């Protein structure tokens, strides 16, 4: 049983007052069980305190902040259909490719700090079992491979660890990144972790089909872990085969890179290769299994540590609590080094808001400061998800990164028709625990599990745990309000206006991405005739009756009034809004089109989508069809609703 931390408040949905659309949170049935903590304290979301720990963000393509910035910047060059086609022709991995880095695969600077610093499994076999008192098991990739083929690759990810893009040309590259041939310097292992799945403690989970090759330290002393997903069985595979299919691998590869280019913290993807073998999968768990092409993604991140990496050891009794501390020390040393250098002169002390006026001093306990930063990074990431209409689909605690990265792309989806109850996961349909509107609440619930783990290991006390969750709430509120203000081009946050907008969008099932993109075309002119107010939004306000037209006209009138009062020119506001409202997102039907072609051996559309998603905020003349509303076939089972089977 995992460690628990109880609170006095009876309402879990404390974030709900800050969310513009009132969608009922569906508490999981386990809330009545001893396996789950109760809700955070009632004072959690008092007004933001005067000072909080600043978070250092994961690098993104849109600036240093994990939320999309509204600041103007030099526009990126537009990409036309012709240029994309030419790029695809040029991207043949020929010998004339321009080198952007210096290192060959044999010259990478491997390090294995995780293996050195933490206890490992004394066994090296892959027999499914409980791995006790260990953070990892050394295993080798074992997926069967026959004439593997490189489907797609990312030059920008290669550049993270100084890899020469010419290395993608190597005839043995598909063998190396399918695990069929060993990489010089790698020391493969699978990580041990546990987690709550759909609110229920699941015990040991672990890397059941992902094998980390090791860490590469680049010329900037940055640490990057390389991991092969779908590369074979590990001790954590349970009854599974440890493999992955091309369908899910394409989705993971593309979405990892698309999210990065949207400016959202995420794991990355270096390469996608086919194995040349088939894998049997029952996509909907309905007894209709079929064979699908196998594939392997090389995922890249500074660390793949999750909340569940700590939970599993705290759940196993006193003798493993020191492992929780060792893992925390490791993470702080290698991924939060600024916390090690904090001192009393920074005066990071805060009132908890309790009646006894007690204080949390983050400089006196590095673990408390670390927990607060993890809570804030998580809140910032989820606010960014809400901004682009992204729904993760499986926000289990084993899928929550301690670095605040989007991790584990199983069932996911971007909103098409705005529906707060949208979930891309068929397994989640009965209760919609992980639907779009519930993501902020679930983030808080997961932080509660993480702080409970650290409290059990005596790394933080109850007030420090409460404060971390308070910071989660304040950070989410601050970032969400700022993000929505930028999306609408408003001079300041207007809760009533935004609430009314999202309620209108929910009633009429308005396309989330296209609506906000078109909204920048509305002019700040109160004199516009009433019958012309909706013209800029005509393409997304489809088939609405007179009553709904009047509701929208009323809202646009209020919106125009706010814009007119700001004093910002229409041109400046449009440029700012277009820089935070993407033209292109990775809609499920676009993925499916690429998957259908790839399963027939044609990888052109996968590569085209990768190129398109590199500049999601640009118009990209000739590519407009990729921003269209989903066609009717996109709503068939298997396209927009996916299970966890991959």
């Amino acid at each position: 049983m995992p460690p628990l931390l109880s609170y006095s408040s009876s309402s879990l949905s404390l974030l709900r007052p800050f969310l513009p659309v009132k969608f009922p949170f569906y508490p999981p049935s386990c809330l009545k069980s001893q396996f789950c903590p109760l809700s955070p304290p009632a004072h959690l979301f008092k007004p933001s305190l005067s000072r909080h720990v600043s978070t250092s963000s994961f690098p993104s393509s849109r600036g240093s902040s994990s939320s999309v910035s509204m600041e103007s910047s030099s526009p990126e060059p537009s990409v036309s259909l012709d240029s994309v086609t030419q790029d695809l022709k040029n991207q043949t991995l020929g010998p004339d490719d321009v080198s952007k880095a210096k290192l060959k695969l044999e010259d990478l600077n491997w390090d294995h700090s995780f293996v050195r610093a933490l206890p490992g499994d004394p066994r090296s076999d892959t027999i499914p079992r409980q791995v006790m008192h260990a953070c990892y098991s050394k295993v080798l990739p074992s997926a069967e491979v026959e004439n593997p083929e490189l489907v797609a690759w990312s030059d920008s990810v290669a550049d993270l660890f100084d890899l020469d893009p010419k290395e993608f040309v190597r005839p043995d590259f598909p063998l190396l990144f399918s695990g069929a041939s060993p990489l010089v310097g790698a020391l493969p292992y699978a990580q041990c972790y546990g987690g709550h799945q759909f609110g229920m403690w699941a015990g040991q989970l672990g890397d059941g089909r992902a094998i980390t090759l090791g860490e590469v330290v680049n010329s900037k002393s940055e640490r990057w872990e390389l991991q092969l997903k779908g590369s074979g069985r590990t001790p954590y595979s349970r009854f599974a085969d440890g493999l992955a299919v091309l369908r899910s691998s394409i989705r993971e590869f593309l979405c990892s890179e698309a999210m990065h280019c949207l400016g959202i913290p995420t794991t990355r993807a270096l390469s996608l290769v086919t194995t040349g073998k088939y894998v049997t999968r029952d996509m909907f768990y309905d007894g209709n299994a079929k064979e699908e092409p196998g594939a392997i993604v090389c995922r890249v991140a500074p660390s793949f540590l999750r909340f569940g990496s700590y939970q599993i050891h705290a759940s196993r009794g006193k003798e493993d609590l020191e492992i929780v501390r060792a893992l925390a020390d490791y993470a702080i040393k290698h991924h939060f080094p600024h916390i090690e250098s904090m001192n009393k002169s920074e005066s990071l002390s805060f009132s908890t808001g309790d009646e006894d006026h007690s204080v949390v001093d983050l400089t006196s306990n590095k673990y408390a400061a670390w927990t607060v930063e993890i809570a804030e990074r998580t809140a910032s990431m989820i606010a960014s998800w809400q901004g682009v209409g992204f729904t993760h689909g499986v926000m289990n605690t084993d899928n929550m990164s301690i670095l605040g990265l989007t991790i584990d792309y199983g069932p996911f989806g971007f909103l098409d028709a705005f529906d707060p109850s949208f979930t891309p996961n068929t397994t989640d349909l009965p209760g919609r625990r992980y639907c779009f509107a519930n993501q902020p609440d679930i983030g808080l619930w997961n932080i509660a599990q993480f702080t409970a783990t650290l409290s059990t290991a005596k790394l933080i006390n109850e007030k420090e745990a409460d404060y971390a969750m308070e910071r989660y709430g304040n950070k989410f509120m601050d970032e969400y309000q700022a993000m929505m203000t930028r999306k609408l081009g408003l001079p300041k946050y207007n809760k009533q206006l935004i609430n009314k907008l999202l309620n209108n969008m929910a009633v009429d099932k308005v396309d989330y991405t296209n609506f906000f993109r078109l909204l920048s075309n509305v002019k700040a002119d109160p004199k516009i005739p009433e019958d012309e107010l909706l013209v800029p939004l005509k393409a997304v306000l489809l088939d609405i009756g007179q009553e709904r037209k009047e509701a929208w006209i009323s809202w646009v009138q209020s919106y125009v009034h706010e814009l007119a009062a700001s004093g910002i020119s229409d041109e400046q506001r449009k440029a700012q809004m277009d820089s935070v409202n993407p033209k292109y997102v990775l809609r499920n039907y676009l993925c499916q089109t690429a998957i259908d072609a790839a399963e027939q051996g044609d990888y052109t559309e996968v590569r085209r989508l990768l190129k398109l998603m590199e500049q999601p905020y640009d118009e990209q003349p000739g590519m407009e069809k990729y921003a269209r509303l989903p066609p009717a076939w996109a709503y068939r089972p298997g396209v927009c609703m996916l299970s966890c089977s991959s």
Side-chain angles (χ1 to χ4, degrees):
M1 182 190 305
L4 304 180
L5 191 62
S6 295
Y7 305 107
S8 57
S9 173
S10 61
S11 172
L12 181 64
S13 281
L14 293 174
L15 284 172
R16 190 62 57 221
F18 305 126
L19 294 179
V21 174
K22 303 291 186 182
F23 181 75
F25 176 73
Y26 291 91
S29 58
C30 75
L31 285 181
K32 301 174 182 178
S33 164
Q34 61 175 333
F35 288 91
C36 302
L38 300 177
S39 305
H43 72 268
L44 187 68
F45 297 109
K46 289 191 174 183
S48 181
L49 301 175
S50 59
R51 187 175 178 192
H52 60 274
V53 176
S54 62
T55 62
S56 51
S57 301
F58 186 71
S60 79
S61 62
R62 306 287 299 179
S64 60
S65 172
S66 59
S67 58
V68 181
S69 173
M70 185 72 168
E71 295 177 2
S72 59
S73 58
S74 301
E76 299 173 2
S78 296
V79 179
S80 67
L81 179 60
D82 289 342
S83 68
V84 170
T85 302
Q86 188 59 45
D87 281 337
L88 292 173
K89 291 179 180 178
N90 292 338
Q91 200 173 20
T92 56
L93 303 180
D96 296 330
D97 289 352
V98 178
S99 176
K100 298 180 182 178
K102 299 178 181 179
L103 300 180
K104 295 183 178 180
L105 288 170
E106 290 80 5
D107 299 326
L108 292 176
N109 181 23
W110 289 94
D111 190 24
H112 302 291
S113 64
F114 191 85
V115 171
R116 281 199 313 272
L118 298 162
D121 181 2
R123 294 168 54 175
S124 59
D125 61 83
T126 60
I127 298 172
R129 53 194 160 83
Q130 291 292 305
V131 177
M132 306 300 293
H133 320 307
C135 296
Y136 63 88
S137 300
K138 291 182 181 178
V139 292
L140 295 174
S142 60
E144 291 187 21
V145 171
E146 183 178 310
N147 298 320
E149 189 173 359
L150 181 59
V151 175
W153 60 95
S154 172
D155 288 343
S156 66
V157 175
D159 192 53
L160 292 176
F161 46 93
D162 309 321
L163 179 66
D164 191 332
K166 289 181 179 178
E167 292 296 276
F168 292 118
V169 152
R170 294 172 53 146
D172 62 345
F173 187 93
L175 288 169
L176 292 166
F177 283 87
S178 64
S181 296
L183 267 169
V184 174
L187 186 60
Y189 68 87
Q191 191 188 145
C192 178
Y193 51 81
H196 283 87
Q197 296 194 324
F198 296 92
M200 296 294 292
W201 177 245
Q204 178 181 291
L205 298 167
D207 286 332
R209 59 179 168 176
I211 296 178
T212 297
L213 300 176
E215 308 146 40
V216 174
V217 180
N218 68 11
S219 56
K220 301 176 183 177
S221 298
E222 296 170 338
R223 188 173 299 273
W224 298 96
E225 290 186 13
L226 276 62
Q227 184 181 87
L228 300 183
K229 184 172 181 179
S231 54
R233 286 189 176 92
T234 77
Y236 312 102
S237 298
R238 293 173 284 179
F239 300 106
D241 56 19
L243 306 176
V245 298
L246 183 59
R247 162 178 51 86
S248 62
S249 300
I250 286 174
R251 289 169 55 80
E252 171 129 14
F253 180 89
L254 288 176
C255 202
S256 298
E257 294 306 284
M259 291 286 275
H260 170 72
C261 294
L262 286 168
I264 297 174
T266 179
T267 57
R268 303 292 302 278
L270 173 69
S271 62
L272 167 61
V273 300
T274 57
T275 62
K277 305 293 283 187
Y278 282 84
V279 178
T280 302
R281 283 292 181 270
D282 184 353
M283 185 192 302
F284 297 109
Y285 303 108
D286 59 1
N288 295 312
K290 69 173 185 176
E291 287 195 332
E292 301 185 48
I296 295 173
V297 174
C298 179
R299 305 198 296 185
V300 176
S303 174
F304 287 95
L305 281 170
R306 307 120 186 281
F307 292 5
S309 304
Y310 298 81
Q311 287 182 289
I312 186 62
H313 303 295
S315 74
R316 287 177 164 169
K318 291 183 179 179
E319 60 182 321
D320 280 5
L321 292 183
E322 277 305 308
I323 298 180
V324 178
R325 182 182 296 271
L327 270 171
D329 288 338
Y330 172 84
I332 292 170
K333 177 181 178 180
H334 291 287
H335 304 293
F336 300 79
H338 53 285
I339 289 178
E340 292 272 27
S341 61
M342 285 193 314
N343 58 63
K344 292 287 185 181
S345 66
E346 297 183 57
S347 300
L348 296 177
S349 300
F350 307 95
S351 170
T352 63
D354 289 342
E355 293 180 0
D356 61 1
H357 304 293
S358 55
V359 169
V360 171
D361 180 8
L362 297 182
T363 57
S364 65
N365 183 1
K366 67 177 182 180
Y367 302 114
W370 176 62
T371 307
V372 166
E373 182 160 342
I374 290 171
E376 290 197 338
R377 289 192 186 197
T378 302
S380 180
M381 173 189 72
I382 294 175
S384 297
W385 291 356
Q386 303 294 107
V388 297
F390 175 80
T391 307
H392 186 282
V394 199
M395 287 178 65
N396 296 328
T397 56
D398 57 299
N399 290 339
M400 299 298 293
S401 161
I402 65 163
L403 299 182
L405 309 179
T406 312
I407 190 171
D408 284 335
Y409 292 92
F412 70 81
F414 288 85
L415 291 174
D416 294 322
F418 182 60
D419 177 5
S421 69
F422 168 70
T423 177
N425 188 352
T426 55
T427 309
D428 193 32
L429 279 177
R432 298 182 185 266
R433 175 183 173 86
Y434 296 141
C435 71
F436 177 75
N438 283 351
Q439 291 186 138
D441 282 335
I442 292 297
L444 174 62
W445 195 90
N446 289 340
I447 290 292
Q449 313 313 309
F450 185 62
T451 58
T453 294
L454 302 184
S455 295
T456 297
K458 309 234 181 279
L459 301 185
I460 61 176
N461 61 37
E462 184 175 344
K463 291 191 180 298
E464 290 165 341
D466 290 352
Y467 182 69
M469 287 184 289
E470 180 175 348
R471 283 309 316 153
Y472 174 94
N474 288 335
K475 183 69 171 178
F476 177 83
M477 179 176 67
D478 291 346
E479 298 244 350
Y480 182 83
Q481 291 182 353
M483 174 264 299
M484 291 304 295
T485 300
R486 293 194 298 269
K487 285 180 74 67
L488 272 72
L490 296 172
K492 61 183 179 180
Y493 182 70
N494 185 322
K495 181 178 180 180
Q496 182 177 0
L497 187 72
I498 292 172
N499 280 0
K500 184 62 176 175
L501 168 62
L502 293 181
N503 281 317
N504 279 347
M505 291 178 69
V507 169
D508 294 311
K509 306 298 182 187
V510 176
D511 186 87
Y512 192 83
T513 300
N514 288 347
F515 176 86
F516 282 107
R517 186 71 178 192
L518 290 175
L519 192 62
S520 65
N521 295 324
V522 172
K523 307 297 183 185
D525 181 4
K527 298 179 181 178
I528 295 176
E530 189 173 294
D531 60 353
E532 296 179 13
L533 279 173
L534 301 185
V535 171
L537 305 173
K538 183 179 179 181
V540 288
L541 298 181
L542 306 171
D543 302 322
I544 59 174
Q546 186 59 37
E547 182 179 350
R548 296 304 304 152
K549 281 185 179 179
E550 291 174 1
W552 278 103
I553 287 171
S554 174
W555 183 85
V556 173
Q557 286 173 332
S558 299
Y559 176 59
V560 168
H561 177 77
E562 287 286 307
L563 297 182
S566 71
I568 300 175
S569 70
D570 290 334
E571 293 75 15
Q572 181 183 358
R573 184 182 66 259
K574 177 174 173 56
Q576 291 174 336
M577 290 175 66
D578 286 352
S579 74
V580 297
N581 291 313
K583 171 91 171 186
Y584 305 98
V585 293
L586 191 65
R587 298 176 188 265
N588 269 321
Y589 85 91
L590 296 178
C591 274
Q592 191 61 47
T593 300
I595 290 166
D596 290 343
E599 290 181 338
Q600 301 303 314
D602 181 359
Y603 309 133
T604 305
E605 194 64 15
V606 174
R607 297 169 186 170
R608 182 176 287 117
L609 280 179
L610 178 63
K611 190 70 177 175
L612 177 77
M613 295 302 158
E614 287 177 355
Q615 297 177 348
Y617 297 94
D618 292 350
E619 285 295 325
Q620 304 194 43
M623 306 298 283
E624 291 83 1
K625 70 175 184 178
Y626 291 95
R628 293 174 186 166
L629 296 175
W633 63 261
Y635 296 100
R636 73 173 189 249
V639 179
C640 290
M641 297 293 292
L642 297 169
S643 73
C644 296
S645 175
S646 55

